[in-house]
Amino acid sequence: MEYTQEILKELYLRMVRIRTFETKAADCFSKGMVAGNLHLAIGQEASDVGACYALEKEDYMASTHRGHGHALAKGAESRYMMAEIFGKKTGYCHGKGGSMHIADFENLNSLGANGIVGASFAIAAGSALASKVLGDTHVSLCFFGDGASNEGTFLEVMNMSALWKLPVVFFCENNGYGVSTAIERVSCTEHIAQRAEGFGIPARIVDGNDPVEVCEAVSEAAARARRG
């Protein structure tokens, strides 16, 4: 892909949009205006935007509990996002999902965020299996964090996806900590991506703060997934 000034500007604006949204959400939460809890995507704007920009509109995406940025990067509208966080019926899930369960199946093929660590693995693999059975060319993008990489579903789903050659792309946003535990204390490999080797899955390590580098990596992975 040729990254023109227009494309670079668009990537930047999408990143700023996520930061602005999250900053406002955090402000409302600190003032006691929002019930429940918020898990913000501040600091992960580039990885969110770069990964989603590489997708086609019909591609699917499975998110995590830290999913505001994913949804916005996939094309969600800020007003419906904020309405959902405030529990309003005008929100994406009519106010019944809240911050960690924002989804839009019909318009964005966004399979939603969820509060279960590691749940995105099976959701994305199921979506990819459906694409393979139906014979379409859609790819499912699975976001997950470094903490989720130690869940049992990670290994199970990676094995099944490789065995069945499912059109799924696993994208780890490694921010270094699972809540308060440093990843180095709970991982026997230097990089989480190294684990893919055991399943014969191609992997690549990129700078998550560079949206262009992220976009290139996900574009390459998505193209390979579409080829089977």
Side-chain angles (χ1 to χ4, degrees):
M1 180 188 299
E2 180 183 354
Y3 293 90
T4 63
Q5 288 296 318
E6 288 73 19
I7 291 177
L8 293 175
K9 181 179 179 180
E10 178 63 25
L11 292 174
Y12 176 72
L13 289 176
R14 293 188 184 190
M15 291 166 58
V16 171
R17 180 171 173 242
I18 294 174
R19 175 62 66 93
T20 303
F21 180 92
E22 295 290 64
T23 300
K24 183 63 177 179
D27 181 55
C28 292
F29 177 76
S30 66
K31 293 177 180 177
M33 300 167 64
V34 178
N37 206 344
L38 290 181
H39 300 276
L40 305 176
I42 289 177
Q44 298 181 187
E45 297 89 348
S47 58
D48 294 347
V49 170
C52 288
Y53 196 83
L55 300 178
E56 295 181 359
K57 183 179 179 180
E58 295 77 15
D59 288 335
Y60 293 91
M61 178 198 72
S63 185
T64 69
H65 66 290
R66 199 179 299 281
H68 301 165
H70 302 151
L72 290 167
K74 190 72 166 65
E77 292 196 35
S78 300
R79 53 179 174 168
Y80 300 140
M81 290 273 294
M82 195 64 77
E84 185 61 36
I85 290 175
F86 272 82
K88 296 185 177 182
K89 65 180 181 180
T90 52
Y92 272 109
C93 300
H94 307 293
K96 298 180 183 296
S99 170
M100 288 193 290
H101 299 89
I102 295 174
D104 185 354
F105 303 145
E106 296 181 0
N107 301 306
L108 299 176
N109 283 358
S110 172
L111 304 176
N114 60 81
I116 302 174
V117 177
S120 59
F121 297 127
I123 293 172
S127 171
L129 177 60
S131 290
K132 185 167 186 177
V133 171
L134 294 173
D136 62 41
T137 60
H138 305 332
V139 167
S140 294
L141 175 65
C142 174
F143 282 107
F144 67 100
D146 47 290
S149 68
N150 283 333
E151 292 290 330
T153 49
F154 175 74
L155 300 177
E156 296 173 44
V157 171
M158 290 280 280
N159 183 62
M160 292 172 63
S161 299
L163 181 64
W164 294 344
K165 299 190 183 303
L166 301 182
V168 56
V169 175
F170 297 101
F171 188 95
C172 179
E173 293 183 292
N174 185 355
N175 61 16
Y177 283 86
V179 186
S180 58
T181 303
I183 186 62
E184 296 84 17
R185 296 180 59 189
V186 293
S187 178
C188 61
T189 57
E190 181 181 1
H191 301 289
I192 294 171
Q194 291 174 263
R195 302 184 190 181
E197 297 175 8
F199 303 98
I201 297 177
R204 183 173 168 184
I205 301 169
V206 298
D207 179 2
N209 289 318
D210 185 338
V212 172
E213 190 174 348
V214 171
C215 186
E216 284 291 301
V218 176
S219 295
E220 179 185 318
R224 182 168 54 245
R226 291 187 215 283
R227 294 195 300 268

